[in-house]
Amino acid sequence: MSHTHRRDGHGRRRGGPDQARGRPPGVWGAALALACAAALTACGPDGGDADAAGAASDAPTSPAATPTGTGTPAEPAPSSPPPTSAAPSASAKPGGIARCETDGLALSLVANGQEMNSKYFDLRLTNTGSEPCDLLGHPGVSLLDAGGKRVGEPATRSQDGTGDGGAVRLRPGQAAHATVKTAGEGVTDGRCWPEAATLLVYPPGSKQTVTTADLAGLKVCGDSFQVGPVGDRAP
């Protein structure tokens, strides 16, 4: 005898999605259990790897991390190039001896006689410092009157004297010598410059001057006024 089953008031039987689609409910449950087991196996029971991965992804990245521990240390940054050597002092000379400066020189003038139509004087620059120094070349020589105005023209250069154009090294107390020459008054018919009060000298290579009021009888005549290079001995 057959039985007729009644349906609910809406004419459809209630049930889950599996029942509605004709799939047994156990299939989805088994799939879900397998997926959870796989996830637990990969991540570990405490989720440590997942946390580490998350922390690694959250950490800021840098282009080059510095190794620590026993790893190979990072190469040091290249050092700056050494500074170039400073330019030598204006007073430096070959051999490491400084040029004689005016604050370490004393000037004097000594009459050195007359020969033929010329009168000669020994211009001396004495090293008053405590260290050796060098002089090289011709000094600049002028005459001044009592008011400080130049008399005539500066001395022109000659090759008179004992200097050969080389450097003269002066130990403390030593003097370099330069020959000053002018025409004798008797051969110029008295054509001489006014009498000077001061001898002003630029030592070779210097822009400073030394002076003396002792002219040793120097009087320029015949417009002839010359000075030779410094040497290591008197003419």
Side-chain angles (χ1 to χ4, degrees):
M1 184 174 190
S2 61
H3 298 276
T4 300
H5 298 280
R6 294 182 62 87
R7 304 187 178 205
D8 56 271
H10 298 283
R12 300 183 67 92
R13 185 170 53 187
R14 295 180 180 274
D18 295 310
Q19 293 175 337
R21 298 178 184 177
R23 296 178 183 174
V27 175
W28 284 103
L32 183 61
L34 289 174
C36 183
L40 289 174
T41 301
C43 299
D46 56 358
D49 291 344
D51 293 341
S57 64
D58 293 337
T61 60
S62 60
T66 303
T68 58
T70 59
T72 303
E75 293 183 2
S79 59
S80 300
T84 55
S85 300
S89 169
S91 62
K93 292 294 181 182
I97 302 298
R99 185 187 68 214
C100 298
E101 302 291 348
T102 55
D103 58 359
L105 289 173
L107 171 65
S108 60
L109 190 68
V110 177
N112 202 34
Q114 182 170 343
E115 183 178 334
M116 301 196 54
N117 297 327
S118 298
K119 295 183 69 173
Y120 294 88
F121 297 83
D122 179 19
L123 185 155
R124 300 177 182 179
L125 293 167
T126 302
N127 180 6
T128 61
S130 59
E131 298 292 336
C133 62
D134 284 354
L135 288 176
L136 174 64
H138 289 73
V141 180
S142 293
L143 294 171
L144 306 178
D145 64 18
K149 185 178 179 180
R150 192 177 70 197
V151 176
E153 298 296 329
T156 59
R157 293 182 177 184
S158 73
Q159 294 305 314
D160 292 313
T162 61
D164 58 3
V168 177
R169 181 156 300 171
L170 303 180
R171 294 193 300 270
Q174 284 188 319
H177 303 266
T179 296
V180 174
K181 183 176 72 171
T182 186
E185 184 175 358
V187 299
T188 61
D189 296 328
R191 292 181 291 107
C192 301
W193 294 354
E195 187 173 351
T198 303
L199 178 69
L200 180 145
V201 173
Y202 289 88
S206 177
K207 294 182 179 180
Q208 305 297 321
T209 62
V210 288
T211 61
T212 180
D214 185 359
L215 300 185
L218 172 63
K219 188 174 185 180
V220 176
C221 297
D223 293 332
S224 176
F225 188 32
Q226 300 178 2
V227 61
V230 293
D232 59 358
R233 63 188 187 278

